[in-house]
Amino acid sequence: MSLIEDGKPFLAALRPAERRELLGQGSPRTYRGGDVIMREDDPTSFVVAIISGWTTVSVATERGVRLILALRGAGEVVGDQAAIDDRPRSATITALGTVRGVVLTGDRFRAYLASRPPAMLLITRQFSARLRSSDGERRSLASERVLQRLAARLVELAEHTGRPGPEGIAVDLPLPQSDIAAAVGSTREAVAKALRLLRDQQVVSTGARRFVVRDIDLLRLLARGRDT
């Protein structure tokens, strides 16, 4: 499973001139933390190219709880699936802190891809990577314990967004515990219990919407399902 995509994001993979052309066809927009950028099942087809900040990609489950499938950050485009297949939104995109982006209509985005085969190939590869990640997520939810899934999420956040410091690797993404639980696919109570265990073992320390990974090697072992 993967919360954050590996490799170059879509905008970074474009040639500079192609990137400028794409962004020049849209309108700048700033979102505040908690703003819903696009909502699951809505019939809209615009896309947002993220310039800075992070967003969550979430869906509602049959149990009525929210599941965070991914985080999308600078250089990525969100809303592209609905723009291409002209069907209702498959997920809700929410700003995680301040997000700056460029909004393009679905028509303009489709026309851009049609005139730029390399860009269309990049989007196709992105769809494939996300499908593989979704398959892995289903296997994880079916077979892994809460502690293992939580460890895997924390490792990924530390590796992609963390800042090394004297106490360990600090992650300052404004993720409340409810969002961490939604990213793990479990209840807030179960995730709180697992976090307490990690704190007691001095693997992580936590604060207000912040955590520090103090023992990344041990956390990786837990993520692979190996108990200490």
Side-chain angles (χ1 to χ4, degrees), residues 108-131:
R108 287 187 175 180
F109 187 65
R110 285 191 297 271
Y112 175 85
L113 294 178
S115 65
R116 294 287 186 274
M120 178 64 84
L121 179 59
L122 286 173
I123 284 292
T124 301
R125 288 176 174 171
Q126 179 176 279
F127 284 161
S128 177
R130 291 176 181 176
L131 179 60

Side-chain angles (χ1 to χ4, degrees), residues 10 21-23 25-26 42-48 77-89 103-121 123-124 127:
F10 178 73
E21 180 186 358
L22 176 65
L23 297 179
Q25 296 184 41
D42 276 357
T44 56
S45 63
F46 66 90
V47 302
V48 178
V77 171
V78 294
D80 45 325
Q81 183 173 347
I84 291 174
D85 66 16
D86 198 28
R87 297 181 63 184
R89 300 289 185 190
V103 181
L104 296 92
T105 66
D107 288 341
R108 287 187 175 180
F109 187 65
R110 285 191 297 271
Y112 175 85
L113 294 178
S115 65
R116 294 287 186 274
M120 178 64 84
L121 179 59
I123 284 292
T124 301
F127 284 161

Side-chain angles (χ1 to χ4, degrees), residues 48-92:
V48 178
I50 302 174
I51 305 302
S52 66
W54 289 91
T55 65
T56 61
V57 181
S58 65
V59 295
T61 68
E62 294 178 354
R63 295 175 296 167
V65 298
R66 177 170 165 257
L67 176 64
I68 292 180
L69 302 176
L71 298 182
R72 305 281 182 240
E76 298 190 81
V77 171
V78 294
D80 45 325
Q81 183 173 347
I84 291 174
D85 66 16
D86 198 28
R87 297 181 63 184
R89 300 289 185 190
S90 61
T92 295

Side-chain angles (χ1 to χ4, degrees), residues 36-202:
V36 174
I37 298 173
M38 47 194 71
R39 193 178 299 277
E40 185 178 4
D41 293 328
D42 276 357
T44 56
S45 63
F46 66 90
V47 302
V48 178
I50 302 174
I51 305 302
S52 66
W54 289 91
T55 65
T56 61
V57 181
S58 65
V59 295
T61 68
E62 294 178 354
R63 295 175 296 167
V65 298
R66 177 170 165 257
L67 176 64
I68 292 180
L69 302 176
L71 298 182
R72 305 281 182 240
E76 298 190 81
V77 171
V78 294
D80 45 325
Q81 183 173 347
I84 291 174
D85 66 16
D86 198 28
R87 297 181 63 184
R89 300 289 185 190
S90 61
T92 295
I93 311 294
T94 307
L96 188 60
T98 300
V99 172
R100 292 193 306 111
V102 173
V103 181
L104 296 92
T105 66
D107 288 341
R108 287 187 175 180
F109 187 65
R110 285 191 297 271
Y112 175 85
L113 294 178
S115 65
R116 294 287 186 274
M120 178 64 84
L121 179 59
L122 286 173
I123 284 292
T124 301
R125 288 176 174 171
Q126 179 176 279
F127 284 161
S128 177
R130 291 176 181 176
L131 179 60
R132 291 177 184 272
S133 178
S134 177
D135 290 342
E137 177 65 19
R138 285 195 292 270
R139 288 193 297 270
S140 169
L141 288 171
S143 63
E144 295 177 3
R145 295 176 300 162
V146 171
L147 179 61
Q148 184 179 354
R149 297 201 305 272
L150 173 62
R153 292 309 197 201
L154 297 184
V155 166
E156 192 173 10
L157 290 170
E159 290 177 341
H160 285 84
T161 71
R163 294 180 297 100
E167 297 180 355
I169 304 174
V171 176
D172 295 321
L173 283 179
L175 277 169
Q177 199 167 103
S178 57
D179 275 3
I180 294 176
V184 170
S186 185
T187 64
R188 184 172 180 175
E189 292 75 18
V191 168
K193 181 179 179 180
L195 276 174
R196 185 162 57 249
L197 176 61
L198 293 176
R199 286 195 301 268
D200 291 345
Q201 296 297 318
Q202 298 186 353

